[in-house]
């Protein structure tokens, strides 16, 4: 992400066939937020109408700062469920 606000630490993915022409794809990433203010600034730039929500929610900031499925969202018949979970580093 721009300006080093986020650093990718790990990524995992899985693909499973559900039916003849139906697949389930999932992935997870673990990131380190280096500059939450920068993430919020990028998010507000992308979604100014959500500024209040972004200022009070890491999940809202993340969902508006980065489009995790951007290359695939234009494909018809794909439904997205995106979950943001905060995990404290051990």
């Amino acid at each position: 992400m721009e300006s080093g606000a986020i650093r990718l630490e790990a990524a995992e993915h899985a693909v499973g066939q559900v039916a003849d022409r139906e697949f389930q794809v999932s992935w997870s990433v673990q990131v380190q937020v280096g500059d939450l203010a920068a993430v919020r600034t990028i998010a507000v730039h992308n979604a100014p109408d959500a500024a209040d929500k972004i200022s009070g929610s890491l999940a809202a900031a993340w969902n508006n700062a980065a489009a995790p499925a951007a290359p695939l969202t234009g494909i018809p018949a794909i439904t997205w469920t995106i979950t943001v979970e905060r995990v404290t580093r051990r």
Side-chain angles (χ1 to χ4, degrees), residues 5-62:
I6 299 287
R7 187 175 84 212
L8 179 64
E9 301 242 327
E12 297 178 7
H13 71 281
V15 178
Q17 190 165 3
V18 178
D20 184 40
R21 296 180 64 190
E22 186 177 342
F23 296 85
Q24 180 176 357
V25 180
S26 63
W27 65 89
S28 66
V29 295
Q30 179 179 341
V31 298
Q32 180 178 15
V33 178
D35 186 348
L36 183 55
V39 173
R40 291 189 195 283
T41 299
I42 294 164
V44 169
H45 175 76
N46 292 342
D49 293 343
D52 287 342
K53 192 172 184 181
I54 290 166
S55 69
S57 167
L58 174 59
W62 177 259

